[in-house]
Amino acid sequence: MGDNAEVTTWRDTTSEHVQSDLDRLLNTVLPFADEMLRKHGEFYPYGAAITREGEEQVFAADTGETDDPNPSEVLTSLVNGMSAEANDLRAAALVSDVTSEKTDAIMVHLEHADSMAITVVLPYRFADEDAAASDLEYEDMAATPAEALIWRRSLC
């Protein structure tokens, strides 16, 4: 999977401690997504956060008795749960397996309590449609500014 060195443009306007927290979260969440893709070919959304004290915390949505929950509903549940704990957190990541017409990708929404939100997209493909899910190849990671989901600031 490699280092996340490709993600550079947002760094120019972001403090070192925010960069460090977001890098730490990215490096925490990507290996699990990789593992799930290699084992199952997909995964449900999940989250991770860094508490105010610097501890890492993992978030999973309660899907109840549902065997095949709607990923959008799982993501909404994660956002609501993490938002409810936002005062105790300093950084958060929401991870989704997304598909577009062009590619499949791991999408990581990274957010910091210090008014920073980006979306990192890591496109992937299976080397051979008939091969095992372990034959996974990644393309270059890209980051774009995002709208805050966890720390929504009121304009009033």
Side-chain angles (χ1 to χ4, degrees), residues 98-105 123-125 139:
V98 297
T99 302
S100 72
E101 296 166 5
K102 297 178 182 177
T103 188
D104 294 321
Y124 69 85
R125 66 183 172 87
E139 296 177 21

Side-chain angles (χ1 to χ4, degrees), residues 24-136:
R24 180 175 162 195
L25 276 175
L26 196 59
N27 290 325
T28 295
V29 300
L30 286 178
F32 182 72
D34 178 71
E35 179 183 345
M36 291 298 100
L37 288 171
R38 289 178 190 279
K39 285 184 178 177
H40 306 289
E42 63 184 355
F43 62 89
Y44 286 104
Y46 63 95
I50 298 174
T51 66
R52 293 269 177 211
E53 292 77 34
E55 296 175 9
E56 291 180 16
Q57 207 173 17
V58 177
F59 285 82
D62 180 5
T63 58
E65 301 297 317
T66 309
D67 287 339
D68 191 20
N70 179 318
S72 179
E73 291 174 11
V74 172
L75 198 54
T76 298
S77 178
L78 286 167
V79 168
N80 292 339
M82 294 173 94
S83 295
E85 294 189 33
N87 289 338
D88 298 326
L89 306 175
R90 71 179 191 217
L94 296 160
V95 189
S96 304
D97 185 10
V98 297
T99 302
S100 72
E101 296 166 5
K102 297 178 182 177
T103 188
D104 294 321
I106 299 169
M107 184 174 77
V108 184
H109 173 85
L110 292 163
E111 207 169 313
H112 203 279
D114 291 351
S115 302
M116 172 69 182
I118 60 170
T119 298
V120 175
V121 177
L122 178 59
Y124 69 85
R125 66 183 172 87
F126 295 102
D128 182 352
E129 292 296 323
D130 297 325
S134 61
D135 293 333
L136 190 57

Side-chain angles (χ1 to χ4, degrees), residues 11-24:
R11 295 180 186 279
D12 298 335
T13 59
T14 308
S15 70
E16 279 190 41
H17 85 275
V18 170
Q19 290 180 43
S20 176
D21 282 347
L22 298 184
D23 285 343
R24 180 175 162 195

